[in-house]
Each structure stands twice: as C-alpha cells, then as structure tokens.
Amino acid sequence: MKKTALLILLSFILSCSSNENPDIYSGEISALQTEEDLKAYWQKLHDLDQITYLKETKGHLQGDSISISNMIRTALMFEIHGPEVYTPDNVVPILNFAHNYYGKSNIAFWPIIQACKKTGGVIESFGGKFPAYPLEALSLTFYDFSLFQQDERYDGLLAKLNNKTYDKVSTTLFELQGEQRRLSQLEVKDVIGKWHIERMKNIEEKGFFEIVKMSDNTLYIKRKHRLQRLVSVKTSDNTEHYKIEDEPFGWTYILNNGNLSLVDDQGSTLIDYNIYK
C-alpha cells in the first residue's frame, strides 16, 4: 500500500517536472499552513528521494529530472516559509544534495546546505563531521574524485563555496532542469579519448569515462549518460587545459597526446588516468 502511494506521488511529480515553471510548486507549498502540514510535506519529499535513488523510475534521465524537482521543492520550502521550516532532525536537504548527479544543481543548492548548517543538527554529523559528506558528494558529482581522508583540503574547498555569489535557488534549479533536458538530446559526434575510472589515486574502478565532441560541436566529459561541458583555459604545444563549466574548486584537466590528468588549483596532480583499451 505504501509503495503504491509513493508511485502515485511519483507520477504526479513527473507530470509537474515536465513544465519549467516555479509556480507549479509555489502554490502547493504556500498552502502549507500548520506544523503538521509542513512535516507531512517533508515526508513526501523524503519518500520521493528514496524511490528515485533506489531507481524505481524508468531510466536515468527521468531519475535525474525528478532529483532536481526534489531540490526545487526543498528550496521553495525555505524561500516561502523561511529557514525556520528546517528542523535539526531533517535529512531531506542533505539527501537531495547527495543523491543529485547534475553538478550545476548542487552548486545552485549550496545556499540551502548553508542554511541547514546554521540550524545545526543532523547536517553536522551525516556521513561524517561537516563538511565531509557534502564536499565528497560535490567532488564525486563534478570530477568523480573522492576526498576520503583528505581533510586538509576541506577548509579551502569550503571557503570557495561559501564565498561564491548565488542567484535565487529555486529559479536557478528550474533553469538547470531545462538545460539538463537539452543536453540529453545531444548525440556523440566524436570520441576524443577514453580512460579508466579512478576516484582515488592508483585505485582503478570498473568502467570508464570519456571526453567527447557532441552534436553541438562542443567538448564534454561524459560519464555514463551524463555530460559536463569542458571549457578550454590554456593551449600549449600538444597540451590542452580544460575546466568543467562552472566547476567549484578550480581544478583542471590536462590532456596531452591521449594522456589525461586531473590537477588541483595549486598545480598538484590528483590523478593520472590510464587509457581505457
């Protein structure tokens, strides 16, 4: 019975997420008046997150779209009802953040994480002492690189995020949802290179990622079906330096004669990837 109710709720949000208009969510969230109403709505968002994350949806694109829709609704809860809508035992915002795989959406959502941190509670210890879990989620989403046991990086990375200027969260997320759908319509035109996944130095994992030229004649990092646009920042001899568009940490990919490395903002090499054959 509970699963049936959740699937009905999932069908509803699917129909809503096809329309890029914040008003479709604002009305229902503005109508929440009592503490019981708010608590029940948070529970719905929690349940939607879980069935999306557990892949009870019909494909990756649909799951990604629902994930962003979840984030939009959470953002509107804060924007309409104020930061007091968040209670210290509420795990929904951090689950939204960790279960989203579209990097720009996580950047847009960061002010919500900041608001949760001000309230305290579960955000302080979920997945390890703050900011370990959200930084790990962000690093994996953008670079597929793990920050495990790299606590010395946390303060610098957190400062970059906290010093950034952000637009209105819900509006930005709606725009990014449309961008994500547009990217899904592109087709691979050329494969520039393919490398083994390596989230931690010298530890290869199953699978590969690619740099590809898509049908819009733009280069992207492609991990499974997800695309991140690459921006050229420097060219020298046979070496190209790229950054992922809107990436948060200032890290760079260096491509030289088929060899690819990920370098941090201080010029230190994080990973030298092995070519996938």
Side-chain angles (χ1 to χ4, degrees):
M1 181 65 71
K2 184 177 180 180
K3 184 174 181 180
T4 300
L6 292 178
L7 290 176
I8 291 172
L9 186 59
L10 177 60
S11 298
F12 175 72
I13 197 172
L14 277 172
S15 64
C16 291
S17 64
S18 64
N19 184 349
E20 295 178 24
N21 182 350
D23 292 341
I24 62 175
Y25 304 111
S26 296
E28 65 182 37
I29 292 172
S30 296
L32 304 173
Q33 297 297 321
T34 67
E35 184 176 340
E36 290 74 18
D37 290 340
L38 295 170
K39 184 176 181 180
Y41 199 83
W42 280 124
Q43 186 61 49
K44 287 182 181 180
L45 293 182
H46 177 273
D47 293 342
L48 277 169
D49 171 89
Q50 292 301 290
I51 60 175
T52 304
Y53 182 65
L54 295 174
K55 302 188 185 302
E56 293 189 38
T57 53
K58 298 178 180 178
H60 296 295
L61 176 61
Q62 186 184 85
D64 287 349
S65 183
I66 297 170
S67 178
I68 298 174
S69 293
N70 292 345
M71 299 172 87
I72 291 166
R73 290 185 171 203
T74 291
L76 285 169
M77 287 286 277
F78 280 81
E79 292 166 7
I80 292 171
H81 294 288
E84 59 272 17
V85 77
Y86 179 76
T87 54
D89 61 344
N90 188 342
V91 299
V92 171
I94 191 63
L95 291 180
N96 288 162
F97 190 83
H99 295 165
N100 169 68
Y101 301 110
Y102 189 54
K104 290 184 180 182
S105 297
N106 272 351
I107 295 296
F109 197 74
W110 188 254
I112 304 301
I113 299 299
Q114 290 176 309
C116 294
K117 177 63 168 64
K118 287 181 181 178
T119 298
V122 69
I123 190 77
E124 299 278 6
S125 58
F126 195 95
K129 185 178 178 181
F130 187 89
Y133 192 71
L135 285 180
E136 174 80 353
L138 192 60
S139 182
L140 287 172
T141 298
F142 265 98
Y143 317 100
D144 211 18
F145 178 83
S146 175
L147 291 168
F148 179 66
Q149 292 186 336
Q150 298 196 49
D151 302 36
E152 71 281 358
R153 294 186 180 272
Y154 291 174
D155 288 346
L157 300 180
L158 192 61
K160 289 178 183 291
L161 292 167
N162 290 343
N163 291 334
K164 192 178 184 311
T165 300
Y166 296 89
D167 296 324
K168 187 176 180 181
V169 176
S170 61
T171 302
T172 304
L173 287 169
F174 269 97
E175 294 170 353
L176 291 173
Q177 192 176 47
E179 178 180 301
Q180 182 252 2
R181 293 197 189 100
R182 289 191 293 274
L183 287 178
S184 71
Q185 302 302 310
L186 298 176
E187 297 180 354
V188 176
K189 186 174 181 180
D190 189 23
V191 177
I192 307 304
K194 186 182 296 187
W195 298 271
H196 286 273
I197 294 172
E198 195 171 324
R199 297 187 177 98
M200 301 177 70
K201 193 170 185 178
N202 299 323
I203 302 177
E204 287 186 0
E205 301 195 25
K206 184 178 180 180
F208 63 88
F209 68 98
E210 304 166 286
I211 292 180
V212 296
K213 179 180 284 189
M214 299 300 289
S215 50
D216 62 351
N217 290 317
T218 300
L219 291 183
Y220 295 84
I221 286 270
K222 183 174 183 289
R223 295 186 174 94
K224 296 183 178 179
H225 67 288
R226 297 182 179 98
L227 297 170
Q228 293 175 293
R229 183 173 181 265
L230 290 175
V231 178
S232 178
V233 294
K234 181 181 177 182
T235 301
S236 58
D237 298 326
N238 295 320
T239 304
E240 295 282 349
H241 298 248
Y242 297 104
K243 285 187 177 180
I244 293 174
E245 185 178 54
D246 296 332
E247 57 82 34
F249 299 154
W251 295 356
T252 306
Y253 288 97
I254 300 177
L255 179 62
N256 178 268
N257 293 321
N259 298 305
L260 185 72
S261 300
L262 177 63
V263 176
D264 69 12
D265 58 323
Q266 302 302 312
S268 298
T269 299
L270 299 171
I271 300 285
D272 288 317
Y273 298 101
N274 292 320
I275 296 173
Y276 188 92
K277 298 179 181 179

